[in-house]
């Protein structure tokens, strides 16, 4: 079965194909709204002390419980957000042969994917995605060049838009990392060097409407392995978070970004901040789209909680590792879920034991 062709037909299917059906335990409905604070960044971005303290307090409380919060007055141009959504719409409306011309190849994170069927054969997500890298440690417009060279010259404007959008996301992400440091009681710039030259991930998500939404999921339950996710939802909604032993909704706000902690930042906070299980559901009548930017550390730098945090906690909960190690694990060995980080640590320690044994032979 060609996953791309299937994904282009999802909206018109009257029955959910078997490989898209999820077990019932994954499909329990959400009845309550998540109590995630809406953090006003205006005062923090201006450098005002009291608003910064208040924002840090809200973030600390949320991240200690479930790792989700929303931000408003974030400094990102609303016109740029709307233009990014427009360019995303334009791409997903392309004929399937155009989208498949940039399909993900084995062992690559970049390109178009129809239901991630290039990696999995069951519990497929009811969605299609376009993923591409972003880094700002070069004078080259990496996103613009990527769009022109892969999708075509007619997508140069889309590339320009996403170049600007990713730049705005990276700038916001770095400010949020600073605010997270403040909320943890450590030097506000202690994480800066780790992320400054990192290659981040931009992903456009399209969730077609589904005639039997109670049988499938747009994205299965998982924790993000990255450090920080900056998500902009459209008006449809469909993001659920598992907190207090139940699924809860995160209603969309067009003026806000949803922020959530990933596994890597859980390790960077020495386990203080939670990387929470979340999923996306689909809608019977409307398609849903979202823009997700995943802030990542530089691949070869050590992920290690600051000494001040370890000293305060009296114990170091995670061994040192690199983002490239965790990325390799999730791409080659493991499908991200609620236990990605502990299973990665086991795998990492086992790999090191095996390497040591081989050296001693």
């Amino acid at each position: 079965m060609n996953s791309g062709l299937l994904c282009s037909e999802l909206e018109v299917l009257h029955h959910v194909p078997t490989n898209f059906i999820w077990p019932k335990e994954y499909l329990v409905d959400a009845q309550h709204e998540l109590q995630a604070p809406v953090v006003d960044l205006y005062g923090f971005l201006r450098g005002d002390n009291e608003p910064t303290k208040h924002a840090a307090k809200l973030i600390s409380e949320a991240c200690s419980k479930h790792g989700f919060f929303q931000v408003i007055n974030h400094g990102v141009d609303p016109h740029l957000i709307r233009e990014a959504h427009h360019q995303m719409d334009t791409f997903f409306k392309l004929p399937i042969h155009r989208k498949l011309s940039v399909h993900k190849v084995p062992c690559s994170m970049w390109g178009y994917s129809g239901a991630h069927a290039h990696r999995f054969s069951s519990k497929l997500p009811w969605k299609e995605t376009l993923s591409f890298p972003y880094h700002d440690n070069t004078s080259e417009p990496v996103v613009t060049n990527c769009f022109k060279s892969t999708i075509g010259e007619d997508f140069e404007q889309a590339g320009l838009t996403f170049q600007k959008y990713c730049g705005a996301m990276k700038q916001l992400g770095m400010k949020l990392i600073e605010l997270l440091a403040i909320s943890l009681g450590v030097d506000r710039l202690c994480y800066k060097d780790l992320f400054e030259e990192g290659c981040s991930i931009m992903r456009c998500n399209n969730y077609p409407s589904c005639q039997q939404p109670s049988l499938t999921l747009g994205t299965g339950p998982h924790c993000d392995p990255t450090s920080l996710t900056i998500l902009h939802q459209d008006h449809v909604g469909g993001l659920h978070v598992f907190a207090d032993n139940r699924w809860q909704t995160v209603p969309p706000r067009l003026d806000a970004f949803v922020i959530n902690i990933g596994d890597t930042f859980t390790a960077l906070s020495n386990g203080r901040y939670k990387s929470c299980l979340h999923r996306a559901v689909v809608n019977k009548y409307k398609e849903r789209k979202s823009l997700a930017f995943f802030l990542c550390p530089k691949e070869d730098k050590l992920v290690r909680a600051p000494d001040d945090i370890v000293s305060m906690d009296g114990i170091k909960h995670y061994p040192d590792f690199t983002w490239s190690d965790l990325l390799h694990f999730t791409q080659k060995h493991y499908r991200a879920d609620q236990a990605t980080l502990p299973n990665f640590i086991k795998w990492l320690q086992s790999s090191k034991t095996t390497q040591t044994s081989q050296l001693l032979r």
Side-chain angles (χ1 to χ4, degrees), residues 44 52 171 173-196 265 268 301 304 306 308-309:
F44 164 66
T52 296
Q171 186 175 10
M174 294 300 292
K175 297 303 292 184
L176 288 170
I177 288 292
E178 189 176 325
L179 190 52
L180 284 165
I182 295 169
S183 74
L184 286 163
V186 296
D187 184 277
R188 64 194 300 157
L189 300 180
C190 73
Y191 296 118
K192 181 181 179 183
D193 184 57
L194 185 65
F195 290 96
E196 206 160 34
F265 201 86
L268 285 168
K301 287 188 178 290
R304 173 193 292 161
D308 288 348
I309 290 181

PDB file of all heavy atoms in Angstrom, residues 44 52 171 173-196 265 268 301 304 306 308-309:
ATOM      1  N   PHE A  44       8.147  40.352  30.529  1.00  0.00           N
ATOM      2  CA  PHE A  44       9.427  39.636  30.479  1.00  0.00           C
ATOM      3  C   PHE A  44      10.255  40.085  29.287  1.00  0.00           C
ATOM      4  O   PHE A  44      11.466  40.359  29.408  1.00  0.00           O
ATOM      5  CB  PHE A  44       9.176  38.128  30.429  1.00  0.00           C
ATOM      6  CG  PHE A  44      10.367  37.315  29.996  1.00  0.00           C
ATOM      7  CD1 PHE A  44      11.505  37.245  30.785  1.00  0.00           C
ATOM      8  CD2 PHE A  44      10.360  36.639  28.781  1.00  0.00           C
ATOM      9  CE1 PHE A  44      12.618  36.500  30.379  1.00  0.00           C
ATOM     10  CE2 PHE A  44      11.451  35.902  28.364  1.00  0.00           C
ATOM     11  CZ  PHE A  44      12.586  35.832  29.164  1.00  0.00           C
ATOM     12  N   THR A  52       8.414  39.311  35.056  1.00  0.00           N
ATOM     13  CA  THR A  52       9.275  38.150  34.809  1.00  0.00           C
ATOM     14  C   THR A  52       9.136  37.134  35.941  1.00  0.00           C
ATOM     15  O   THR A  52       9.008  35.926  35.702  1.00  0.00           O
ATOM     16  CB  THR A  52      10.746  38.584  34.667  1.00  0.00           C
ATOM     17  OG1 THR A  52      10.878  39.420  33.519  1.00  0.00           O
ATOM     18  CG2 THR A  52      11.665  37.379  34.529  1.00  0.00           C
ATOM     19  N   GLN A 171      13.998  32.471  17.936  1.00  0.00           N
ATOM     20  CA  GLN A 171      14.167  33.615  18.834  1.00  0.00           C
ATOM     21  C   GLN A 171      13.264  33.474  20.063  1.00  0.00           C
ATOM     22  O   GLN A 171      13.702  33.692  21.202  1.00  0.00           O
ATOM     23  CB  GLN A 171      13.843  34.911  18.086  1.00  0.00           C
ATOM     24  CG  GLN A 171      14.122  36.172  18.882  1.00  0.00           C
ATOM     25  CD  GLN A 171      13.907  37.436  18.050  1.00  0.00           C
ATOM     26  OE1 GLN A 171      13.384  37.386  16.938  1.00  0.00           O
ATOM     27  NE2 GLN A 171      14.312  38.564  18.589  1.00  0.00           N
ATOM     28  N   GLY A 173      12.001  30.660  21.181  1.00  0.00           N
ATOM     29  CA  GLY A 173      12.476  29.496  21.925  1.00  0.00           C
ATOM     30  C   GLY A 173      13.638  29.826  22.841  1.00  0.00           C
ATOM     31  O   GLY A 173      13.687  29.376  24.001  1.00  0.00           O
ATOM     32  N   MET A 174      14.573  30.624  22.350  1.00  0.00           N
ATOM     33  CA  MET A 174      15.724  31.001  23.178  1.00  0.00           C
ATOM     34  C   MET A 174      15.292  31.857  24.365  1.00  0.00           C
ATOM     35  O   MET A 174      15.838  31.729  25.472  1.00  0.00           O
ATOM     36  CB  MET A 174      16.758  31.734  22.335  1.00  0.00           C
ATOM     37  CG  MET A 174      17.426  30.872  21.260  1.00  0.00           C
ATOM     38  SD  MET A 174      18.320  29.446  21.925  1.00  0.00           S
ATOM     39  CE  MET A 174      19.687  30.257  22.782  1.00  0.00           C
ATOM     40  N   LYS A 175      14.307  32.722  24.167  1.00  0.00           N
ATOM     41  CA  LYS A 175      13.799  33.525  25.282  1.00  0.00           C
ATOM     42  C   LYS A 175      13.073  32.634  26.300  1.00  0.00           C
ATOM     43  O   LYS A 175      13.181  32.841  27.518  1.00  0.00           O
ATOM     44  CB  LYS A 175      12.871  34.628  24.784  1.00  0.00           C
ATOM     45  CG  LYS A 175      13.519  35.660  23.882  1.00  0.00           C
ATOM     46  CD  LYS A 175      14.718  36.333  24.544  1.00  0.00           C
ATOM     47  CE  LYS A 175      14.348  37.228  25.706  1.00  0.00           C
ATOM     48  NZ  LYS A 175      15.516  37.942  26.263  1.00  0.00           N
ATOM     49  N   LEU A 176      12.336  31.628  25.803  1.00  0.00           N
ATOM     50  CA  LEU A 176      11.642  30.719  26.709  1.00  0.00           C
ATOM     51  C   LEU A 176      12.626  29.858  27.505  1.00  0.00           C
ATOM     52  O   LEU A 176      12.399  29.584  28.688  1.00  0.00           O
ATOM     53  CB  LEU A 176      10.679  29.824  25.917  1.00  0.00           C
ATOM     54  CG  LEU A 176       9.433  30.521  25.374  1.00  0.00           C
ATOM     55  CD1 LEU A 176       8.696  29.619  24.406  1.00  0.00           C
ATOM     56  CD2 LEU A 176       8.508  30.968  26.513  1.00  0.00           C
ATOM     57  N   ILE A 177      13.718  29.454  26.863  1.00  0.00           N
ATOM     58  CA  ILE A 177      14.751  28.700  27.576  1.00  0.00           C
ATOM     59  C   ILE A 177      15.340  29.553  28.700  1.00  0.00           C
ATOM     60  O   ILE A 177      15.618  29.066  29.808  1.00  0.00           O
ATOM     61  CB  ILE A 177      15.851  28.243  26.589  1.00  0.00           C
ATOM     62  CG1 ILE A 177      15.325  27.123  25.682  1.00  0.00           C
ATOM     63  CG2 ILE A 177      17.110  27.796  27.319  1.00  0.00           C
ATOM     64  CD1 ILE A 177      15.047  25.811  26.392  1.00  0.00           C
ATOM     65  N   GLU A 178      15.499  30.830  28.429  1.00  0.00           N
ATOM     66  CA  GLU A 178      15.987  31.762  29.443  1.00  0.00           C
ATOM     67  C   GLU A 178      14.994  31.863  30.609  1.00  0.00           C
ATOM     68  O   GLU A 178      15.383  31.840  31.785  1.00  0.00           O
ATOM     69  CB  GLU A 178      16.186  33.128  28.789  1.00  0.00           C
ATOM     70  CG  GLU A 178      16.897  34.152  29.642  1.00  0.00           C
ATOM     71  CD  GLU A 178      17.130  35.458  28.877  1.00  0.00           C
ATOM     72  OE1 GLU A 178      17.368  35.408  27.653  1.00  0.00           O
ATOM     73  OE2 GLU A 178      17.049  36.519  29.524  1.00  0.00           O
ATOM     74  N   LEU A 179      13.708  31.963  30.275  1.00  0.00           N
ATOM     75  CA  LEU A 179      12.677  32.053  31.300  1.00  0.00           C
ATOM     76  C   LEU A 179      12.564  30.744  32.095  1.00  0.00           C
ATOM     77  O   LEU A 179      12.331  30.762  33.311  1.00  0.00           O
ATOM     78  CB  LEU A 179      11.342  32.406  30.645  1.00  0.00           C
ATOM     79  CG  LEU A 179      10.167  32.779  31.565  1.00  0.00           C
ATOM     80  CD1 LEU A 179      10.549  33.867  32.558  1.00  0.00           C
ATOM     81  CD2 LEU A 179       8.972  33.220  30.719  1.00  0.00           C
ATOM     82  N   LEU A 180      12.754  29.616  31.419  1.00  0.00           N
ATOM     83  CA  LEU A 180      12.753  28.328  32.117  1.00  0.00           C
ATOM     84  C   LEU A 180      13.903  28.255  33.124  1.00  0.00           C
ATOM     85  O   LEU A 180      13.735  27.749  34.235  1.00  0.00           O
ATOM     86  CB  LEU A 180      12.852  27.186  31.110  1.00  0.00           C
ATOM     87  CG  LEU A 180      11.563  26.865  30.340  1.00  0.00           C
ATOM     88  CD1 LEU A 180      11.874  25.984  29.132  1.00  0.00           C
ATOM     89  CD2 LEU A 180      10.547  26.172  31.241  1.00  0.00           C
ATOM     90  N   ALA A 181      15.059  28.763  32.735  1.00  0.00           N
ATOM     91  CA  ALA A 181      16.207  28.783  33.648  1.00  0.00           C
ATOM     92  C   ALA A 181      15.883  29.624  34.882  1.00  0.00           C
ATOM     93  O   ALA A 181      16.156  29.215  36.024  1.00  0.00           O
ATOM     94  CB  ALA A 181      17.446  29.316  32.936  1.00  0.00           C
ATOM     95  N   ILE A 182      15.289  30.795  34.661  1.00  0.00           N
ATOM     96  CA  ILE A 182      14.892  31.649  35.784  1.00  0.00           C
ATOM     97  C   ILE A 182      13.920  30.907  36.690  1.00  0.00           C
ATOM     98  O   ILE A 182      14.034  30.939  37.927  1.00  0.00           O
ATOM     99  CB  ILE A 182      14.258  32.960  35.269  1.00  0.00           C
ATOM    100  CG1 ILE A 182      15.286  33.801  34.512  1.00  0.00           C
ATOM    101  CG2 ILE A 182      13.649  33.765  36.420  1.00  0.00           C
ATOM    102  CD1 ILE A 182      14.688  34.981  33.756  1.00  0.00           C
ATOM    103  N   SER A 183      12.969  30.200  36.094  1.00  0.00           N
ATOM    104  CA  SER A 183      11.955  29.485  36.877  1.00  0.00           C
ATOM    105  C   SER A 183      12.561  28.344  37.690  1.00  0.00           C
ATOM    106  O   SER A 183      11.992  27.929  38.704  1.00  0.00           O
ATOM    107  CB  SER A 183      10.857  28.944  35.949  1.00  0.00           C
ATOM    108  OG  SER A 183      11.306  27.818  35.206  1.00  0.00           O
ATOM    109  N   LEU A 184      13.705  27.835  37.247  1.00  0.00           N
ATOM    110  CA  LEU A 184      14.397  26.758  37.964  1.00  0.00           C
ATOM    111  C   LEU A 184      15.368  27.294  39.020  1.00  0.00           C
ATOM    112  O   LEU A 184      15.984  26.510  39.750  1.00  0.00           O
ATOM    113  CB  LEU A 184      15.160  25.871  36.966  1.00  0.00           C
ATOM    114  CG  LEU A 184      14.295  24.923  36.116  1.00  0.00           C
ATOM    115  CD1 LEU A 184      15.078  24.429  34.902  1.00  0.00           C
ATOM    116  CD2 LEU A 184      13.788  23.750  36.946  1.00  0.00           C
ATOM    117  N   GLY A 185      15.531  28.609  39.056  1.00  0.00           N
ATOM    118  CA  GLY A 185      16.397  29.206  40.057  1.00  0.00           C
ATOM    119  C   GLY A 185      17.866  29.150  39.729  1.00  0.00           C
ATOM    120  O   GLY A 185      18.715  29.215  40.622  1.00  0.00           O
ATOM    121  N   VAL A 186      18.200  29.049  38.434  1.00  0.00           N
ATOM    122  CA  VAL A 186      19.605  29.030  38.015  1.00  0.00           C
ATOM    123  C   VAL A 186      19.877  30.228  37.115  1.00  0.00           C
ATOM    124  O   VAL A 186      18.959  30.975  36.751  1.00  0.00           O
ATOM    125  CB  VAL A 186      19.974  27.714  37.289  1.00  0.00           C
ATOM    126  CG1 VAL A 186      19.844  26.535  38.235  1.00  0.00           C
ATOM    127  CG2 VAL A 186      19.089  27.492  36.052  1.00  0.00           C
ATOM    128  N   ASP A 187      21.132  30.429  36.759  1.00  0.00           N
ATOM    129  CA  ASP A 187      21.508  31.548  35.906  1.00  0.00           C
ATOM    130  C   ASP A 187      20.680  31.524  34.620  1.00  0.00           C
ATOM    131  O   ASP A 187      20.560  30.494  33.959  1.00  0.00           O
ATOM    132  CB  ASP A 187      23.003  31.480  35.567  1.00  0.00           C
ATOM    133  CG  ASP A 187      23.460  32.684  34.768  1.00  0.00           C
ATOM    134  OD1 ASP A 187      23.267  32.673  33.524  1.00  0.00           O
ATOM    135  OD2 ASP A 187      23.990  33.634  35.361  1.00  0.00           O
ATOM    136  N   ARG A 188      20.114  32.661  34.254  1.00  0.00           N
ATOM    137  CA  ARG A 188      19.188  32.722  33.126  1.00  0.00           C
ATOM    138  C   ARG A 188      19.842  32.336  31.799  1.00  0.00           C
ATOM    139  O   ARG A 188      19.139  31.941  30.855  1.00  0.00           O
ATOM    140  CB  ARG A 188      18.559  34.105  33.029  1.00  0.00           C
ATOM    141  CG  ARG A 188      19.517  35.225  32.725  1.00  0.00           C
ATOM    142  CD  ARG A 188      18.893  36.591  32.977  1.00  0.00           C
ATOM    143  NE  ARG A 188      17.723  36.831  32.164  1.00  0.00           N
ATOM    144  CZ  ARG A 188      16.759  37.711  32.481  1.00  0.00           C
ATOM    145  NH1 ARG A 188      16.809  38.406  33.600  1.00  0.00           N
ATOM    146  NH2 ARG A 188      15.726  37.898  31.665  1.00  0.00           N
ATOM    147  N   LEU A 189      21.152  32.425  31.701  1.00  0.00           N
ATOM    148  CA  LEU A 189      21.832  32.094  30.450  1.00  0.00           C
ATOM    149  C   LEU A 189      22.532  30.741  30.488  1.00  0.00           C
ATOM    150  O   LEU A 189      23.313  30.412  29.594  1.00  0.00           O
ATOM    151  CB  LEU A 189      22.859  33.190  30.117  1.00  0.00           C
ATOM    152  CG  LEU A 189      22.298  34.606  29.920  1.00  0.00           C
ATOM    153  CD1 LEU A 189      23.418  35.584  29.609  1.00  0.00           C
ATOM    154  CD2 LEU A 189      21.236  34.640  28.822  1.00  0.00           C
ATOM    155  N   CYS A 190      22.227  29.926  31.495  1.00  0.00           N
ATOM    156  CA  CYS A 190      23.002  28.695  31.660  1.00  0.00           C
ATOM    157  C   CYS A 190      22.772  27.679  30.539  1.00  0.00           C
ATOM    158  O   CYS A 190      23.612  26.817  30.307  1.00  0.00           O
ATOM    159  CB  CYS A 190      22.721  28.057  33.024  1.00  0.00           C
ATOM    160  SG  CYS A 190      21.102  27.286  33.166  1.00  0.00           S
ATOM    161  N   TYR A 191      21.630  27.767  29.835  1.00  0.00           N
ATOM    162  CA  TYR A 191      21.353  26.824  28.743  1.00  0.00           C
ATOM    163  C   TYR A 191      21.670  27.405  27.359  1.00  0.00           C
ATOM    164  O   TYR A 191      21.551  26.708  26.352  1.00  0.00           O
ATOM    165  CB  TYR A 191      19.882  26.407  28.758  1.00  0.00           C
ATOM    166  CG  TYR A 191      19.448  25.646  29.990  1.00  0.00           C
ATOM    167  CD1 TYR A 191      18.476  26.173  30.836  1.00  0.00           C
ATOM    168  CD2 TYR A 191      19.982  24.395  30.294  1.00  0.00           C
ATOM    169  CE1 TYR A 191      18.055  25.476  31.968  1.00  0.00           C
ATOM    170  CE2 TYR A 191      19.564  23.696  31.417  1.00  0.00           C
ATOM    171  CZ  TYR A 191      18.602  24.240  32.248  1.00  0.00           C
ATOM    172  OH  TYR A 191      18.187  23.544  33.363  1.00  0.00           O
ATOM    173  N   LYS A 192      22.045  28.671  27.320  1.00  0.00           N
ATOM    174  CA  LYS A 192      22.173  29.370  26.040  1.00  0.00           C
ATOM    175  C   LYS A 192      23.144  28.679  25.093  1.00  0.00           C
ATOM    176  O   LYS A 192      22.834  28.454  23.918  1.00  0.00           O
ATOM    177  CB  LYS A 192      22.617  30.812  26.285  1.00  0.00           C
ATOM    178  CG  LYS A 192      22.756  31.633  25.003  1.00  0.00           C
ATOM    179  CD  LYS A 192      23.214  33.062  25.290  1.00  0.00           C
ATOM    180  CE  LYS A 192      23.375  33.854  24.010  1.00  0.00           C
ATOM    181  NZ  LYS A 192      23.884  35.226  24.262  1.00  0.00           N
ATOM    182  N   ASP A 193      24.326  28.329  25.580  1.00  0.00           N
ATOM    183  CA  ASP A 193      25.356  27.743  24.726  1.00  0.00           C
ATOM    184  C   ASP A 193      24.920  26.408  24.142  1.00  0.00           C
ATOM    185  O   ASP A 193      25.301  26.047  23.032  1.00  0.00           O
ATOM    186  CB  ASP A 193      26.647  27.571  25.534  1.00  0.00           C
ATOM    187  CG  ASP A 193      27.794  27.062  24.663  1.00  0.00           C
ATOM    188  OD1 ASP A 193      28.106  27.734  23.666  1.00  0.00           O
ATOM    189  OD2 ASP A 193      28.357  26.001  24.984  1.00  0.00           O
ATOM    190  N   LEU A 194      24.076  25.684  24.878  1.00  0.00           N
ATOM    191  CA  LEU A 194      23.616  24.367  24.434  1.00  0.00           C
ATOM    192  C   LEU A 194      22.730  24.464  23.194  1.00  0.00           C
ATOM    193  O   LEU A 194      22.782  23.617  22.306  1.00  0.00           O
ATOM    194  CB  LEU A 194      22.856  23.690  25.580  1.00  0.00           C
ATOM    195  CG  LEU A 194      22.375  22.252  25.376  1.00  0.00           C
ATOM    196  CD1 LEU A 194      23.555  21.301  25.218  1.00  0.00           C
ATOM    197  CD2 LEU A 194      21.509  21.824  26.546  1.00  0.00           C
ATOM    198  N   PHE A 195      21.915  25.537  23.141  1.00  0.00           N
ATOM    199  CA  PHE A 195      20.905  25.640  22.082  1.00  0.00           C
ATOM    200  C   PHE A 195      21.268  26.602  20.960  1.00  0.00           C
ATOM    201  O   PHE A 195      20.673  26.541  19.886  1.00  0.00           O
ATOM    202  CB  PHE A 195      19.562  26.085  22.690  1.00  0.00           C
ATOM    203  CG  PHE A 195      18.923  25.033  23.538  1.00  0.00           C
ATOM    204  CD1 PHE A 195      19.100  25.037  24.910  1.00  0.00           C
ATOM    205  CD2 PHE A 195      18.154  24.041  22.970  1.00  0.00           C
ATOM    206  CE1 PHE A 195      18.512  24.066  25.708  1.00  0.00           C
ATOM    207  CE2 PHE A 195      17.559  23.065  23.750  1.00  0.00           C
ATOM    208  CZ  PHE A 195      17.746  23.082  25.128  1.00  0.00           C
ATOM    209  N   GLU A 196      22.185  27.489  21.196  1.00  0.00           N
ATOM    210  CA  GLU A 196      22.423  28.597  20.273  1.00  0.00           C
ATOM    211  C   GLU A 196      22.718  28.130  18.849  1.00  0.00           C
ATOM    212  O   GLU A 196      22.219  28.700  17.874  1.00  0.00           O
ATOM    213  CB  GLU A 196      23.555  29.482  20.792  1.00  0.00           C
ATOM    214  CG  GLU A 196      23.472  30.905  20.296  1.00  0.00           C
ATOM    215  CD  GLU A 196      24.280  31.855  21.160  1.00  0.00           C
ATOM    216  OE1 GLU A 196      25.337  31.458  21.684  1.00  0.00           O
ATOM    217  OE2 GLU A 196      23.843  33.009  21.317  1.00  0.00           O
ATOM    218  N   PHE A 265      14.598  18.291  27.862  1.00  0.00           N
ATOM    219  CA  PHE A 265      14.602  19.310  28.915  1.00  0.00           C
ATOM    220  C   PHE A 265      14.250  18.712  30.275  1.00  0.00           C
ATOM    221  O   PHE A 265      14.659  19.245  31.314  1.00  0.00           O
ATOM    222  CB  PHE A 265      13.684  20.478  28.602  1.00  0.00           C
ATOM    223  CG  PHE A 265      14.057  21.716  29.387  1.00  0.00           C
ATOM    224  CD1 PHE A 265      15.020  22.588  28.895  1.00  0.00           C
ATOM    225  CD2 PHE A 265      13.510  21.973  30.637  1.00  0.00           C
ATOM    226  CE1 PHE A 265      15.416  23.694  29.635  1.00  0.00           C
ATOM    227  CE2 PHE A 265      13.898  23.080  31.374  1.00  0.00           C
ATOM    228  CZ  PHE A 265      14.865  23.935  30.880  1.00  0.00           C
ATOM    229  N   LEU A 268      17.529  17.995  31.418  1.00  0.00           N
ATOM    230  CA  LEU A 268      18.243  19.238  31.722  1.00  0.00           C
ATOM    231  C   LEU A 268      17.764  19.886  33.024  1.00  0.00           C
ATOM    232  O   LEU A 268      18.494  20.661  33.637  1.00  0.00           O
ATOM    233  CB  LEU A 268      18.076  20.233  30.567  1.00  0.00           C
ATOM    234  CG  LEU A 268      18.894  19.941  29.306  1.00  0.00           C
ATOM    235  CD1 LEU A 268      18.421  20.814  28.146  1.00  0.00           C
ATOM    236  CD2 LEU A 268      20.379  20.153  29.563  1.00  0.00           C
ATOM    237  N   LYS A 301      26.761  18.439  21.796  1.00  0.00           N
ATOM    238  CA  LYS A 301      26.953  18.986  23.147  1.00  0.00           C
ATOM    239  C   LYS A 301      26.284  18.095  24.187  1.00  0.00           C
ATOM    240  O   LYS A 301      25.226  17.507  23.941  1.00  0.00           O
ATOM    241  CB  LYS A 301      26.399  20.413  23.235  1.00  0.00           C
ATOM    242  CG  LYS A 301      27.267  21.434  22.501  1.00  0.00           C
ATOM    243  CD  LYS A 301      26.799  22.843  22.770  1.00  0.00           C
ATOM    244  CE  LYS A 301      27.688  23.867  22.077  1.00  0.00           C
ATOM    245  NZ  LYS A 301      29.020  23.947  22.679  1.00  0.00           N
ATOM    246  N   ARG A 304      23.145  17.835  30.132  1.00  0.00           N
ATOM    247  CA  ARG A 304      23.509  17.636  31.543  1.00  0.00           C
ATOM    248  C   ARG A 304      22.819  18.713  32.377  1.00  0.00           C
ATOM    249  O   ARG A 304      22.897  19.903  32.046  1.00  0.00           O
ATOM    250  CB  ARG A 304      25.025  17.724  31.695  1.00  0.00           C
ATOM    251  CG  ARG A 304      25.531  17.705  33.128  1.00  0.00           C
ATOM    252  CD  ARG A 304      26.994  18.108  33.175  1.00  0.00           C
ATOM    253  NE  ARG A 304      27.869  17.122  32.550  1.00  0.00           N
ATOM    254  CZ  ARG A 304      29.107  17.382  32.131  1.00  0.00           C
ATOM    255  NH1 ARG A 304      29.596  18.610  32.218  1.00  0.00           N
ATOM    256  NH2 ARG A 304      29.843  16.427  31.599  1.00  0.00           N
ATOM    257  N   PRO A 306      22.333  21.484  35.118  1.00  0.00           N
ATOM    258  CA  PRO A 306      23.315  22.375  35.744  1.00  0.00           C
ATOM    259  C   PRO A 306      23.712  21.896  37.141  1.00  0.00           C
ATOM    260  O   PRO A 306      22.886  21.345  37.882  1.00  0.00           O
ATOM    261  CB  PRO A 306      22.569  23.718  35.817  1.00  0.00           C
ATOM    262  CG  PRO A 306      21.522  23.644  34.754  1.00  0.00           C
ATOM    263  CD  PRO A 306      21.115  22.207  34.695  1.00  0.00           C
ATOM    264  N   ASP A 308      24.167  23.510  39.774  1.00  0.00           N
ATOM    265  CA  ASP A 308      23.383  24.148  40.832  1.00  0.00           C
ATOM    266  C   ASP A 308      22.106  23.364  41.129  1.00  0.00           C
ATOM    267  O   ASP A 308      21.704  23.222  42.290  1.00  0.00           O
ATOM    268  CB  ASP A 308      23.028  25.582  40.443  1.00  0.00           C
ATOM    269  CG  ASP A 308      24.224  26.524  40.499  1.00  0.00           C
ATOM    270  OD1 ASP A 308      25.267  26.111  41.047  1.00  0.00           O
ATOM    271  OD2 ASP A 308      24.118  27.656  39.998  1.00  0.00           O
ATOM    272  N   ILE A 309      21.453  22.857  40.076  1.00  0.00           N
ATOM    273  CA  ILE A 309      20.218  22.084  40.272  1.00  0.00           C
ATOM    274  C   ILE A 309      20.532  20.755  40.943  1.00  0.00           C
ATOM    275  O   ILE A 309      19.864  20.344  41.899  1.00  0.00           O
ATOM    276  CB  ILE A 309      19.498  21.859  38.926  1.00  0.00           C
ATOM    277  CG1 ILE A 309      18.921  23.176  38.403  1.00  0.00           C
ATOM    278  CG2 ILE A 309      18.391  20.819  39.066  1.00  0.00           C
ATOM    279  CD1 ILE A 309      18.171  23.057  37.096  1.00  0.00           C
TER     280      ILE A 309
END
